[in-house]
Amino acid sequence: MHFPELKPMRQRPFPKQIEVYELSKVKKMKINENIAELLGKKASFYLDHVCEKITKDELQTPGKDGLDQVFGNSNRNPQVLRSLSQLYKHGNLGSTGYLSILPIDQGIEHSAAFSFYKNRDYFDPENIIKLAIEAGCNAVASTFGVLGLNARKYAHKIPFIVKINHNELLTYPNSYDQTLFGKVKSAWDMGAVAVGATIYFGSKESNRQLKEIAEAFEEAHSLGMATILWCYTRNDAFKTETEDDHTSADLTGQANHLGVTIQADIIKQKLPTNNFGFKEIGFGKYDDAMYKALTTDHPIDLCRLQAANCYMGKIGLINSGGGSKGEPDLVEAVTTAVINKRAGGTGLIMGRKAFQKPFAEGIELINAVQSVYLNGKITIA
């Protein structure tokens, strides 16, 4: 495998002076040539697939003029449009219509010791921001504490996305309850261009979370910030003997549809791994003909259903990179990017696969994902 050579690690884990890390022409070429090699025997399966259920002609696909087409006649005020523009025009994917976001809030969601023991540098919040900048990300998404501690130094250098609610991990037994950790105005005060939030659809607290975040998003829009919703499904009943339907295309798709209903500007969702959640669990509204009409079991078709639930791609769908498994991370990250892009998605939000590695390796992994969206030969299926 000849995927991009890693630069030697610096003696210090991070440079004192930070500049946006840009892909050289040589590196872009080298990465692009190896995408098919990375996909291996499944290269044709992912790269040649054509979606015939929901076709690409039905979608609003990402592009340079996407913001004007989608939000130009919307109720978003000019300040929100400027904030969205800052997000989409920054970093290595700037002005392509795609997003590469570094999210690190796992210190709360998964516990700091568990998240950072593989690379303790990230206990220091500034290093989170430095990784996003050097990797050429569109934005960095993190907590009030992380971003607030470094706002004066970095808020004008990379777009900030403040995650305003979390599921803290010290309640026993653990519950599926996202709780607000601060005020929207505080995010605006520190120079953030967007707020992010999670709703656990299907949990017993989901109605309260839905009301809280709808109100928070309304305030964020009034202040001129964009909004990003983590649309996760959480309910023990969604995990059956045969499938874990928390990543079922029909359930996650409906979660997306609820997210765009409260006017999220971008939807963040886990990549679908199966389907038939409504049918297997036996609730909600479904019909066998619904499944046959909308999708197949191909991963790109399943992700296409997620994008269709985001107002046929008008609200951008970013998928998550998932947890770190070590050696398979590179292949998994690139595969996820290919699925998202070919399905009509807007990019990837990837954290653990990057920050649980040495600094240089984290940059290379994020750049590899970005190369998928920069590669003109990888098209909408």
Side-chain angles (χ1 to χ4, degrees):
M1 189 75 66
H2 302 291
F3 206 70
E5 299 175 1
L6 298 179
K7 296 181 295 184
M9 285 293 292
R10 304 176 179 90
Q11 290 184 349
R12 290 175 59 85
F14 298 97
K16 292 182 179 180
Q17 299 297 322
I18 297 294
E19 296 179 357
V20 174
Y21 185 96
E22 294 184 353
L23 291 171
S24 67
K25 290 183 179 179
V26 174
K27 181 170 286 186
K28 285 181 184 177
M29 187 180 300
K30 197 170 185 180
I31 291 174
N32 291 341
E33 288 176 350
N34 283 277
I35 290 174
E37 183 181 345
L38 269 176
L39 296 175
K41 295 179 180 179
K42 286 200 168 184
S44 178
F45 178 73
Y46 291 117
L47 297 176
D48 298 331
H49 178 73
V50 176
C51 295
E52 297 179 346
K53 297 293 185 176
I54 301 173
T55 66
K56 64 181 179 181
D57 295 335
E58 299 175 72
L59 292 178
Q60 171 73 45
T61 55
K64 292 182 179 180
D65 58 350
L67 291 180
D68 290 335
Q69 291 183 17
V70 173
F71 295 110
N73 293 318
S74 73
N75 65 344
R76 272 60 159 186
N77 64 48
Q79 300 289 353
V80 174
L81 298 182
R82 184 174 65 178
S83 293
L84 283 167
S85 182
Q86 286 180 264
L87 276 177
Y88 278 96
K89 290 184 178 180
H90 191 81
N92 290 331
L93 299 186
S95 298
T96 64
Y98 292 103
L99 295 168
S100 170
I101 298 172
L102 177 72
I104 303 184
D105 66 348
Q106 287 85 354
I108 299 173
E109 297 279 351
H110 299 163
S111 87
F114 181 72
S115 298
F116 302 140
Y117 79 92
K118 293 180 181 179
N119 191 339
R120 66 191 68 182
D121 291 319
Y122 293 104
F123 276 108
D124 182 341
E126 186 175 6
N127 291 335
I128 292 172
I129 302 169
K130 287 180 177 179
L131 176 61
I133 292 176
E134 282 241 4
C137 292
N138 296 73
V140 58
S142 197
T143 66
F144 279 102
V146 165
L147 298 178
L149 197 62
N150 296 280
R152 290 186 184 276
K153 188 173 183 179
Y154 291 108
H156 59 295
K157 295 180 181 179
I158 185 171
F160 278 12
I161 301 167
V162 180
K163 186 71 166 39
I164 61 174
N165 70 349
H166 304 279
N167 184 43
E168 57 83 16
L169 204 63
L170 277 179
T171 300
Y172 184 82
N174 292 155
S175 63
Y176 303 136
D177 192 9
Q178 288 278 335
T179 304
L180 290 171
F181 268 53
K183 296 184 181 298
V184 173
K185 180 63 162 50
S186 297
W188 183 83
D189 285 338
M190 74 172 71
V193 303
V195 296
T198 299
I199 295 177
Y200 281 155
F201 292 106
S203 70
K204 64 181 181 180
E205 299 89 359
S206 61
N207 285 338
R208 192 209 78 242
Q209 294 170 19
L210 184 61
K211 182 175 182 294
E212 282 180 351
I213 301 309
E215 292 174 351
F217 279 7
E218 182 180 3
E219 183 181 1
H221 278 157
S222 72
L223 291 170
M225 291 185 289
T227 58
I228 305 175
L229 188 64
W230 278 240
C231 292
Y232 288 168
T233 59
R234 285 289 189 279
N235 193 308
D236 289 338
F238 291 174
K239 193 170 185 177
T240 66
E241 293 182 1
T242 57
E243 291 283 4
D244 185 351
D245 288 312
H246 287 103
T247 51
S248 177
D250 54 347
L251 297 187
T252 55
Q254 181 59 22
N256 291 355
H257 201 70
L258 293 171
V260 296
T261 300
I262 63 170
Q263 299 195 91
D265 300 316
I266 298 166
I267 294 294
K268 192 258 191 179
Q269 184 57 267
K270 294 185 177 182
L271 200 69
T273 59
N274 54 73
N275 205 2
F276 306 108
F278 284 119
K279 183 177 179 179
E280 289 181 353
I281 300 167
F283 83 113
K285 296 287 186 180
Y286 66 90
D287 192 300
D288 286 342
M290 171 184 87
Y291 295 106
K292 292 178 181 178
L294 296 176
T295 190
T296 70
D297 61 356
H298 195 286
I300 295 174
D301 283 333
L302 295 177
C303 191
R304 174 66 56 85
L305 182 58
Q306 288 185 340
N309 273 286
C310 298
Y311 294 153
M312 275 297 183
K314 290 185 175 180
I315 303 300
L317 168 68
I318 53 176
N319 288 117
S320 58
S324 176
K325 300 177 183 177
E327 187 175 343
D329 284 352
L330 181 60
V331 175
E332 285 190 3
V334 168
T335 302
T336 300
V338 169
I339 292 171
N340 172 271
K341 183 180 182 181
R342 301 211 69 226
T346 307
L348 235 59
I349 184 165
M350 187 171 64
R352 284 172 287 171
K353 280 181 167 61
F355 74 76
Q356 291 183 339
K357 290 178 171 56
F359 185 62
E361 290 184 31
I363 290 174
E364 297 288 354
L365 189 68
I366 293 171
N367 288 165
V369 166
Q370 292 166 353
S371 76
V372 172
Y373 296 98
L374 293 170
N375 190 327
K377 294 181 179 179
I378 300 175
T379 58
I380 310 297

